[in-house]
Amino acid sequence: MLNVTGDLPGDSWGIFTFLCAALCNLPALPALNCSEELGAGQSIQQTYDLTRYLEHQLRTLAGTYLNYLGPPFNEPDFNPPRLARAERVPSATVDLDLWRGLTDNARLAANYRAYSRLLCYLRVLDGQVGTAELRHRLAHFCASLQGLVLSIGGVMSSLGYPLPAGPAGPPAGPPGAPPAPNDFLKKMDDFWLLKELQTWLWRSAKDFNRLKKKVPPAVVTLRLEARGF
Amino acid sequence: MWKNSSLRCLLALAILCLRSSVHSQEIGSLGHPQNLKCVTHNLHKMICTWDVSPRRKHGQTDFCYAANDLPTPVCFKTKEKRVEIPVPHSSSTVTITTNSISGTALATKEFKIHKKDILFIPVAPRVLSLTPDFSTSTLNLKWSDNGSVFPDGLDAVWQIQILRKETVEKVTQVTYHSKLTHEDIILSWNWTSDIPLECASHYVKIRCYINVTQFVGLKEWSDWSPVEVILGKDTDPSESGVFPLDTVVAVGSDVTFCCIHEEGQNITNMSYGSKPYPMIQLSSRSHAIRVLNASASDSSGTNVVCRLNNGMMEGTVLFVGYAPDIPQNLSCETPNFQIIKCSWKPGRPSGLYGKRRTMYSLFERMSGKNVSCEVNEMNRQHVCGFPVLPDQKTYDFILGVSNPIGQAESSLLVDITQRVHPKTPEKLTVSENNSTSIHLHWFINGSFAEIRLLCQIEITSGHSEQKLHNVSMPGGKSSAYTAHLNALHPYTKYQFRVRCSAADHFWRWSDWSRVEEYTTSEAPPARGPDIWRERSSSGESLKIFWKPLPLSEANGRITSHEVSCYLLETPLEHKVVTEPTNSTEIKLGKNDCVISVVAKNQAGSSPPSRITSMELPSDNIITGQAMAMGNGINVSWDSYPNMTCGYVVKWCRSSGSEPCSVDWQKFPSNTTNAVIKSALFKPGVRYNFSVYGCKSTGYQLLKNITGYMKELPPKSAPNFTVEETSSDSILVRWEDIPIEECRGFLKGYLLSFAKGEKDALKPRLSESGNPELKVNNITNLTQKSMKILDLQGKTSYQLELQAYTAGGLSPPNSLYVVTKEDSVGLIIAILIPVAVVVLLGVVASIFCYRKREWIKETFYPEIPNPENSKALQFQRNICEGNKTLKTLEMNPCTPNSVEVVETQSAAPKIEDTEMMSPAADTTVPEDGSDSEMENHVVVSYCPPIIEEEISNPPTDEPGGSSQVVYIDIQSMYQPQIKSEEEPEIDVVTTAGYKPQMQLSVNAMNTESRSPVEEELDKTAGYRPQANTNAWNMDTPDSPGSVESNNENASFGSPCSINSRQFLLPPRDDEDSPKPINIGWSFTHFFQNKPND
């Protein structure tokens, strides 16, 4: 954490928000009943802040990581075709109208599933990187992303939605897909992973912003009371 | 059977006759065997073939061969034109009889086969396997040499051809040599392709040549083996990608990459890193790039990307690094006889990471045990552990280093009993024996049972220097060790730390243990205190002083002092004085006693210190002066042989009026001087020392000494007054300076005096630098007054008095005194001059009267014609142009003329006051109508050297402006055109030497001027132009340049004072960089060069 403050001056608000969100949600998640302690609106706000912070963090991390991958991955106009095997990374390129057409619950569940999966891939990435400094930064980002997964879980439970089936905690490795057969394809996977993360975070921020407006704290409280009856 | 055969014969004969009638020319060669060739593949059997002409059907052939080594010819029938017979030793005779289908012999031919005619061709080799290694682009070819059929020791030569691509281009052909061993040996050969094997199909074929030296016949290469092929990926329609995949090469290698794509696509470009490379087409689906001298790649490898025209992209990663360096400084040691730690420096980084990183393994040759090492790449020093094996002392280690590019190793033979580097001692504790000895305990993890340990204990205490104490002890198995330390000091805080090593074969010290602090317990003080006594001034009581014992002798915290007074073993008084008091007083009356002082701490009492109160009488006590020495005072005294128990120097630590705090120092009998040092001594303070001699009966005062640690200048000057003043003397008297203000031994006084009025702002006399300052140095300190003589009357004098010591002069005290008036002197001073003047007047009158005739003759002759006056003649000659007074000429003077040409314009110009005649004056028109007339005015002057040609183009200038050109020095800086509004000034300024002329005359009053005045004007014209400001006029050039400065010097001064020559060189000359220009300076200024 200290390292990040050193690297990214002016990020203290983000770190603070992340810490708050992570700390509030860590004890809440296993019980799935944190709504009583923390209003959904507040929870959504914190998740939104954390998403924005992760977006910012990813920008610097991606720059470093793409430089580590070397040209052409770090070229600004590099836009490779998405190989079929890259589809194993959850894609955020769902049609926008279709996405908007989904219910809040479905969207939150999709977010939750996507980040859980992306986190698994990110963890594999972390173990393979050659330089210690980059490994450290990746580990830090993983921790932040873990916080986001938990935070989304918190929002869902506060709104009374069930958590999607599947591993809530960190799974051991990327599910199913075989590892890349060669280094170049692995680099390509890494590239797509970062790109997808970026798109997901961008879209999640929009989602949470919309949800924030839709669910003011008072309403949530009322709803929760109603649920209690 | 026979019938049949005869029938056949008949038929054949008939046919033969028929044929012979038709082809009469072929009859002679009918059925003849010919072109018999014999070839052997294995030197045992040979295959002989022949032709039969013409080629027509015939029956069986009888084949017989006979050789020397065969008893009878061997015959057999064959249907073919090929037989296999043994290879003869030298030659054999072969008879071939061609039979007709019916069985009749058509023709018989005999061949003689010599061994040299037999051809030896080995059987074409058979490829057993061709294996590709795609990662290294290597082909492995295996074949059998078929050596079992040949004698032992034959040389075999193999020719291998590699062909590539769909077009089967020959890539390389290599020759491989082997020796046949009469056995079938499988030969193997590797070939590394310069392009990856995936990029194109590779074909391999092989043939051989066996050099059978004993075979005299012809020897030839075998046929090529059937072609073996390794298909490239471009032949597989489903394959695409960039090859080779994820290879590792050494820095500086040349690498070829190929991109295989689907049929119908095109490659846009191929790049290595960020650089595109030119492509080489290998096939319709395969293109290659060649990267030469690859440099080290980044940690994630260098990407090779192939972009296709459909937007797709293929790629691979190349890892370029270095083979591992040989590990340096391999060193093994054991910290505990359980594990051996080997460390080394890895040398140059390989540049490969992750699974391609450098791997280390430690192999022990004697035990054959191998350990792989997990090292941290980040550490500069790599460490690997190897378990200590039971009953093995010597270890022969090989550190193997490998990465995908290469491997290296480093070996070390080590006896671990000689390479012991124990771990840091822990749990250091102290247990006390007594106040001067302790036990130190510590623990070392490790089993050192086989060796002895040498441990070093560092002992640090506040009041002694650091000590190292070595202890040798037998080693134990993870045990505690104890060392005994004695000769410690009581009541002292000690710091201990320990480190250990092997005693017998020192290798390395362990790290120091943490520091353990311990304070030893108290012991009775080692000696009694240093004491002194003094009787009070009344003599009724005795004051006893003692000095606190130093820490090293107090052996604890002194709590009190016991003071007793004994008179012949009878205690008179006993006192206990608690700390921190260090003196006490005993009422003794007139008695004397022996005083005993004992210091006490918690552990006990010190031995008593004794001193007698008896003071022996002394006479003739002299007072001496002590010398300052460094930061002490050197006190010396005479040697007194009867002083048996030494001397005591006593002084007061305090100074001046403060109550005396007694200090003393004792010296042995043989001492006669001592430097008394004390931190309390201050510079400029007088200290009084008393030297006492010690006898068995008591102390005797020997000498008093005063001294300074450092002498300073007196703090103030002595007060002084003027006692008496006369017209030429002053009597001054001064007082002594108080001792406290002397701050040193007074050496004398300085009395300075000089004339001076009382003025507060005046500096001190000594600093004023007054030349009349007189200084009197008074070194006689008893002198308290002085008379200053030889002063002037009624004059103010400033007097200053200063005292001085070895430290310097005091500040001065000043006085102003006015001496009294001297009236007699004044009268004399007036009278004498008056008398002298009167006397001279009288003498002159007498002389004039007596010589009045001579005076008249000389000064007033009869006819007083002024022309005869020589004095006046002299003056006139000057005016007349040096005609008569040749001696006044500086140079031969040739009268010269200057023609002044004037173009008449609106305003008239009067050119020269000297030459202006009244007639000329009248010609000056008011309106300037006579402008066309050229007015020549000749200015006559006398140039000393230069003769100027007069060239005057007056008509050059248009009318309306008059120009006067002076062919003279001034013209160089004369304004070219003068405006008409300033005629008066123009008249002056145009008169040759204008600038000066302005100062003198009004030029318009020419008529009224006398020739003398004109002459004056003329001389005014020659006024030196020594206006240095004008010389240094506007020069925008760089001021730093010496040359430009020289130019400047001449620029503002167009002509010389004396010579009137042009001082400014012509412009052309300036441009040309002649050295003479640089030389234009003031020296030139005063030179009259004839050639100018």
Side-chain angles (χ1 to χ4, degrees):
Chain A
M1 196 58 71
L2 277 174
N3 186 36
V4 169
T5 46
D7 286 351
L8 316 163
D11 261 6
S12 45
W13 67 270
I15 295 162
F16 177 71
T17 319
F18 156 66
L19 275 174
C20 285
L23 286 172
C24 290
N25 286 304
L26 271 170
L29 192 67
L32 298 181
N33 60 352
C34 75
S35 50
E36 276 79 16
E37 289 95 44
L38 193 71
Q42 204 179 343
S43 177
I44 293 164
Q45 175 65 47
Q46 283 175 353
T47 313
Y48 169 76
D49 290 343
L50 180 57
T51 314
R52 294 305 305 273
Y53 167 62
L54 275 167
E55 251 189 303
H56 176 81
Q57 206 184 348
L58 182 65
R59 262 200 293 280
T60 50
L61 174 71
T64 315
Y65 197 83
L66 294 182
N67 274 334
Y68 162 74
L69 294 182
F73 295 98
N74 59 352
E75 287 165 6
D77 55 348
F78 181 66
N79 187 22
R82 190 163 169 149
L83 300 176
R85 55 170 285 101
E87 290 298 341
R88 68 209 183 101
V89 177
S91 172
T93 53
V94 181
D95 177 55
L96 205 60
D97 290 330
L98 189 69
W99 182 256
R100 280 184 181 165
L102 295 176
T103 61
D104 288 347
N105 185 7
R107 273 206 300 271
L108 280 170
N111 268 303
Y112 184 86
R113 269 193 304 268
Y115 287 119
S116 301
R117 235 173 119 84
L118 286 166
L119 187 61
C120 300
Y121 286 106
L122 210 58
R123 288 224 163 91
V124 176
L125 204 77
D126 181 19
Q128 292 168 345
V129 170
T131 65
E133 196 255 339
L134 194 54
R135 252 202 310 267
H136 181 83
R137 292 177 74 162
L138 272 169
H140 177 75
F141 185 80
C142 278
S144 306
L145 196 65
Q146 171 77 35
L148 182 66
V149 173
L150 297 174
S151 207
I152 295 170
V155 170
M156 289 181 76
S157 58
S158 72
L159 291 174
Y161 303 137
L163 275 185
N182 64 57
D183 281 272
F184 189 79
L185 288 179
K186 207 198 95 38
K187 283 185 175 188
M188 205 72 120
D189 286 355
D190 296 352
F191 177 84
W192 278 112
L193 175 62
L194 293 174
K195 195 155 179 153
E196 286 301 343
L197 256 173
Q198 214 163 20
T199 323
W200 271 108
L201 286 170
W202 174 80
R203 201 167 66 185
S204 298
K206 286 180 85 107
D207 287 350
F208 292 127
N209 199 29
R210 206 176 301 126
L211 200 62
K212 201 169 64 179
K213 288 172 187 162
K214 206 192 237 178
V215 187
V219 174
V220 176
T221 316
L222 280 172
R223 232 170 95 172
L224 286 168
E225 279 167 4
R227 274 182 72 227
F229 287 108
Chain B
M1 183 78 187
W2 189 86
K3 262 186 169 178
N4 277 346
S5 61
S6 62
L7 266 172
R8 279 178 194 156
C9 284
L10 277 173
L11 187 66
L13 202 65
I15 292 164
L16 210 79
C17 289
L18 191 67
R19 276 189 62 92
S20 64
S21 63
V22 177
H23 305 288
S24 59
Q25 75 278 16
E26 288 184 5
I27 287 169
S29 59
L30 185 71
H32 273 236
Q34 52 188 328
N35 297 341
L36 178 72
K37 281 181 197 164
C38 292
V39 175
T40 179
H41 293 310
N42 53 18
L43 304 174
H44 302 300
K45 299 268 181 172
M46 59 184 184
I47 296 159
C48 296
T49 54
W50 64 93
D51 296 335
V52 176
S53 67
R55 293 179 177 272
R56 50 180 284 187
K57 242 185 165 179
H58 55 86
Q60 281 188 331
T61 303
D62 294 329
F63 190 93
C64 293
Y65 66 93
N68 295 342
D69 51 341
L70 288 174
T72 52
V74 179
C75 289
F76 51 86
K77 288 182 185 297
T78 175
K79 282 186 176 176
E80 295 169 355
K81 285 175 280 183
R82 178 180 181 278
V83 292
E84 191 177 88
I85 57 171
V87 175
H89 279 293
S90 56
S91 64
S92 66
T93 312
V94 171
T95 312
I96 302 171
T97 308
T98 316
N99 297 317
S100 65
I101 293 165
S102 59
T104 54
L106 292 175
T108 301
K109 187 149 187 184
E110 191 177 278
F111 297 93
K112 186 86 174 176
I113 301 171
H114 295 281
K115 199 161 186 182
K116 65 178 171 49
D117 299 330
I118 301 168
L119 193 61
F120 171 60
I121 301 174
V123 181
R126 189 166 58 86
V127 173
L128 295 177
S129 72
L130 176 67
T131 322
D133 181 358
F134 288 103
S135 64
T136 55
S137 301
T138 305
L139 285 177
N140 176 257
L141 180 71
K142 281 193 170 72
W143 73 96
S144 169
D145 70 350
N146 208 17
S148 56
V149 299
F150 295 107
D152 188 19
L154 289 186
D155 288 322
V157 185
W158 309 87
Q159 220 168 42
I160 306 161
Q161 238 177 39
I162 310 279
L163 306 123
R164 187 184 278 163
K165 299 204 253 182
E166 294 158 340
T167 50
V168 198
E169 290 167 16
K170 187 165 118 184
V171 180
T172 186
Q173 176 170 305
V174 286
T175 308
Y176 181 92
H177 295 265
S178 73
K179 248 192 166 58
L180 303 184
T181 55
H182 198 52
E183 274 180 64
D184 286 347
I185 302 282
I186 292 169
L187 298 175
S188 176
W189 173 77
N190 284 332
W191 176 74
T192 303
S193 172
D194 59 338
I195 71 166
L197 299 178
E198 297 97 330
C199 295
S201 298
H202 285 77
Y203 307 89
V204 181
K205 59 184 183 179
I206 183 169
R207 64 176 183 173
C208 70
Y209 175 89
I210 294 168
N211 188 14
V212 191
T213 44
Q214 63 269 42
F215 183 74
V216 293
L218 289 170
K219 288 163 277 192
E220 278 192 6
W221 281 97
S222 74
D223 288 336
W224 286 105
S225 68
V227 170
E228 292 288 323
V229 63
I230 300 296
L231 288 173
K233 301 274 188 196
D234 54 339
T235 57
D236 185 347
S238 65
E239 278 286 354
S240 65
V242 179
F243 300 97
L245 279 173
D246 307 341
T247 42
V248 185
V249 296
V251 170
S253 307
D254 300 340
V255 193
T256 304
F257 299 93
C258 68
C259 177
I260 293 166
H261 50 86
E262 288 170 17
E263 198 73 57
Q265 290 177 345
N266 284 322
I267 299 174
T268 318
N269 73 343
M270 282 183 77
S271 60
Y272 172 81
S274 52
K275 193 181 163 193
Y277 272 73
M279 289 182 287
I280 311 153
Q281 182 165 14
L282 298 178
S283 71
S284 61
R285 286 184 55 209
S286 177
H287 287 75
I289 58 169
R290 186 147 181 81
V291 175
L292 302 175
N293 194 14
S295 52
S297 57
D298 295 331
S299 52
S300 78
T302 308
N303 305 318
V304 185
V305 177
C306 167
R307 290 182 172 85
L308 301 169
N309 61 345
N310 62 351
M312 290 302 282
M313 176 180 283
E314 303 284 357
T316 187
V317 182
L318 179 75
F319 298 89
V320 190
Y322 294 94
D325 233 353
I326 296 169
Q328 286 148 17
N329 303 348
L330 176 63
S331 161
C332 296
E333 61 189 24
T334 179
N336 50 13
F337 282 96
Q338 286 157 3
I339 194 159
I340 302 168
K341 280 188 174 171
C342 292
S343 62
W344 64 92
K345 284 184 179 167
R348 178 184 58 193
S350 69
L352 302 173
Y353 302 91
K355 60 185 179 190
R356 296 167 199 87
R357 72 182 186 277
T358 306
M359 311 289 266
Y360 297 90
S361 69
L362 204 53
F363 174 70
E364 205 284 304
R365 238 189 289 212
M366 294 182 182
S367 61
K369 202 171 161 68
N370 200 358
V371 170
S372 73
C373 308
E374 279 302 318
V375 296
N376 185 358
E377 281 286 330
M378 298 298 153
N379 283 357
R380 202 159 262 220
Q381 189 86 11
H382 289 187
V383 181
C384 187
F386 189 90
V388 171
L389 303 171
D391 307 323
Q392 186 173 348
K393 283 184 178 176
T394 311
Y395 291 79
D396 189 1
F397 287 117
I398 296 173
L399 176 69
V401 194
S402 68
N403 70 10
I405 297 171
Q407 50 211 14
E409 62 177 40
S410 185
S411 61
L412 179 74
L413 184 69
V414 67
D415 180 350
I416 57 157
T417 57
Q418 298 178 12
R419 292 283 184 276
V420 183
H421 183 192
K423 285 191 173 175
T424 311
E426 306 161 54
K427 302 173 190 167
L428 184 65
T429 52
V430 180
S431 63
E432 187 179 285
N433 243 5
N434 55 45
S435 62
T436 57
S437 82
I438 55 152
H439 286 291
L440 211 56
H441 314 276
W442 65 92
F443 173 83
I444 303 175
N445 189 6
S447 49
F448 302 99
E450 293 168 32
I451 60 161
R452 282 186 72 79
L453 286 178
L454 173 72
C455 292
Q456 200 168 50
I457 303 163
E458 188 192 79
I459 306 160
T460 315
S461 70
H463 56 74
S464 65
E465 58 188 37
Q466 211 169 59
K467 276 186 213 160
L468 288 173
H469 182 76
N470 287 343
V471 201
S472 174
M473 57 190 72
K477 188 167 185 181
S478 291
S479 66
Y481 301 88
T482 302
H484 180 229
L485 291 179
N486 47 22
L488 298 178
H489 206 273
Y491 196 60
T492 305
K493 189 195 254 185
Y494 283 98
Q495 286 158 349
F496 304 99
R497 55 179 193 165
V498 183
R499 62 178 182 180
C500 293
S501 73
D504 300 325
H505 300 282
F506 178 81
W507 169 239
R508 268 174 200 167
W509 286 111
S510 71
D511 287 338
W512 283 107
S513 69
R514 64 168 179 78
V515 171
E516 175 70 10
E517 265 187 7
Y518 186 78
T519 306
T520 47
S521 58
E522 290 188 20
R527 65 168 177 90
D530 196 0
I531 53 175
W532 184 245
R533 84 287 176 276
E534 260 192 353
R535 267 196 190 271
S536 62
S537 49
S538 63
E540 285 296 312
S541 64
L542 189 72
K543 195 159 189 185
I544 298 139
F545 306 92
W546 57 90
K547 287 184 187 173
L549 283 170
L551 265 178
S552 57
E553 289 170 324
N555 289 348
R557 199 170 61 81
I558 300 294
T559 51
S560 61
H561 288 86
E562 284 182 11
V563 183
S564 321
C565 185
Y566 295 91
L567 182 63
L568 299 170
E569 305 298 323
T570 316
L572 290 183
E573 195 160 347
H574 181 83
K575 261 187 170 181
V576 176
V577 184
T578 53
E579 277 290 275
T581 317
N582 59 354
S583 67
T584 187
E585 202 167 313
I586 311 171
K587 296 272 182 234
L588 206 61
K590 297 291 176 191
N591 295 326
D592 277 310
C593 68
V594 175
I595 294 133
S596 155
V597 180
V598 169
K600 287 188 86 173
N601 64 14
Q602 282 186 332
S605 306
S606 72
S609 294
R610 289 198 176 91
I611 192 167
T612 173
S613 67
M614 178 82 79
E615 191 122 335
L616 302 175
S618 50
D619 48 351
N620 297 330
I621 303 300
I622 51 160
T623 301
Q625 283 188 355
M627 300 270 290
M629 186 171 277
N631 52 356
I633 300 165
N634 188 10
V635 176
S636 63
W637 59 90
D638 296 332
S639 177
Y640 298 88
N642 52 353
M643 298 303 157
T644 51
C645 51
Y647 301 94
V648 172
V649 177
K650 182 220 95 181
W651 69 94
C652 286
R653 274 201 294 254
S654 49
S655 61
S657 54
E658 296 168 42
C660 177
S661 68
V662 174
D663 202 352
W664 69 96
Q665 211 168 327
K666 290 181 175 171
F667 298 98
S669 317
N670 55 358
T671 319
T672 55
N673 76 318
V675 177
I676 309 290
K677 287 186 178 177
S678 167
L680 299 169
F681 285 157
K682 291 176 199 157
V685 175
R686 176 175 289 200
Y687 293 97
N688 295 312
F689 299 89
S690 303
V691 181
Y692 290 89
C694 171
K695 287 181 182 172
S696 55
T697 47
Y699 287 88
Q700 184 179 18
L701 179 64
L702 303 175
K703 191 182 181 186
N704 283 322
I705 298 170
T706 56
Y708 290 88
M709 192 191 96
K710 188 188 174 188
E711 290 190 58
L712 296 178
K715 211 172 184 179
S716 63
N719 290 325
F720 74 117
T721 51
V722 175
E723 292 259 306
E724 190 183 303
T725 314
S726 71
S727 62
D728 64 343
S729 71
I730 301 167
L731 179 65
V732 180
R733 184 173 293 281
W734 59 89
E735 299 165 5
D736 278 335
I737 310 173
I739 292 221
E740 297 82 52
E741 298 200 343
C742 274
R743 304 202 295 177
F745 296 114
L746 208 59
K747 286 265 170 73
Y749 302 96
L750 284 183
L751 180 63
S752 325
F753 63 96
K755 282 182 193 172
E757 297 291 333
K758 190 167 187 177
D759 185 355
L761 294 174
K762 260 195 171 176
R764 290 172 179 178
L765 265 182
S766 49
E767 293 165 7
S768 64
N770 192 337
E772 291 178 22
L773 177 75
K774 284 176 186 166
V775 180
N776 286 321
N777 186 5
I778 301 133
T779 52
N780 181 5
L781 294 174
T782 54
Q783 189 181 338
K784 293 292 173 218
S785 66
M786 188 183 183
K787 190 161 196 171
I788 306 168
L789 299 172
D790 300 332
L791 302 178
Q792 288 179 9
K794 210 184 179 184
T795 309
S796 172
Y797 281 94
Q798 186 184 359
L799 307 180
E800 270 186 13
L801 184 64
Q802 288 170 288
Y804 64 93
T805 65
L809 282 167
S810 73
N813 242 348
S814 285
L815 269 185
Y816 290 88
V817 184
V818 181
T819 48
K820 287 182 177 164
E821 202 168 350
D822 186 3
S823 52
V824 180
L826 187 68
I827 292 162
I828 290 169
I830 294 166
L831 283 183
I832 289 172
V834 170
V836 168
V837 169
V838 168
L839 195 66
L840 281 173
V842 170
V843 170
S845 305
I846 295 166
F847 179 77
C848 289
Y849 179 75
R850 292 278 294 270
K851 293 283 180 181
R852 62 188 179 279
E853 286 302 315
W854 176 79
I855 290 166
K856 193 185 175 191
E857 269 307 305
T858 310
F859 294 102
Y860 303 100
E862 284 298 314
I863 306 154
N865 187 353
E867 285 192 358
N868 291 342
S869 167
K870 282 197 170 75
L872 290 170
Q873 200 175 20
F874 170 72
Q875 198 178 5
R876 198 178 137 193
N877 282 342
I878 294 170
C879 306
E880 289 192 353
N882 309 332
K883 280 175 187 169
T884 53
L885 255 176
K886 292 283 182 188
T887 51
L888 288 175
E889 281 182 359
M890 287 172 73
N891 289 303
C893 181
T894 313
N896 212 339
S897 302
V898 175
E899 194 173 42
V900 179
V901 184
E902 185 185 74
T903 307
Q904 287 292 358
S905 61
K909 304 262 172 161
I910 298 161
E911 302 306 337
D912 196 326
T913 53
E914 186 189 21
M915 298 314 292
M916 189 57 68
S917 66
D921 199 21
T922 56
T923 58
V924 178
E926 284 296 309
D927 55 356
S929 57
D930 204 3
S931 62
E932 286 183 9
M933 260 187 72
E934 288 189 350
N935 195 356
H936 292 255
V937 180
V938 177
V939 180
S940 179
Y941 79 113
C942 183
I945 289 157
I946 316 154
E947 282 195 14
E948 295 282 348
E949 281 291 351
I950 302 167
S951 61
N952 193 358
T955 50
D956 282 359
E957 289 294 315
S961 71
S962 71
Q963 188 195 12
V964 181
V965 180
Y966 294 90
I967 314 302
D968 202 348
I969 41 178
Q970 251 74 2
S971 62
M972 286 303 284
Y973 77 116
Q974 216 42 259
Q976 291 295 307
I977 299 158
K978 280 288 160 190
S979 70
E980 293 82 349
E981 289 88 49
E982 302 172 315
E984 294 89 352
I985 294 166
D986 274 355
V987 169
V988 178
T989 53
T990 52
Y993 305 98
K994 267 168 328 213
Q996 292 73 26
M997 300 286 279
Q998 280 177 323
L999 300 167
S1000 57
V1001 287
N1002 183 352
M1004 295 307 277
N1005 297 331
T1006 49
E1007 285 160 321
S1008 62
R1009 290 163 70 106
S1010 69
V1012 178
E1013 284 171 330
E1014 287 169 9
E1015 228 18 79
L1016 280 169
D1017 285 349
K1018 218 175 177 178
T1019 51
Y1022 285 95
R1023 186 173 300 164
Q1025 304 157 354
N1027 182 359
T1028 49
N1029 292 337
W1031 297 345
N1032 296 331
M1033 60 187 274
D1034 49 352
T1035 52
D1037 299 337
S1038 64
S1041 150
V1042 174
E1043 290 171 34
S1044 68
N1045 282 348
N1046 287 339
E1047 283 173 27
N1048 295 347
S1050 63
F1051 182 68
S1053 152
C1055 61
S1056 154
I1057 300 167
N1058 298 337
S1059 68
R1060 288 181 289 168
Q1061 64 182 286
F1062 294 100
L1063 299 183
L1064 270 182
R1067 204 70 214 165
D1068 301 350
D1069 290 344
E1070 271 187 27
D1071 292 338
S1072 61
K1074 285 178 189 172
I1076 193 157
N1077 289 347
I1078 298 163
W1080 262 98
S1081 63
F1082 277 94
T1083 53
H1084 206 124
F1085 230 86
F1086 299 107
Q1087 281 174 0
N1088 282 331
K1089 280 194 181 173
N1091 53 356
D1092 279 350

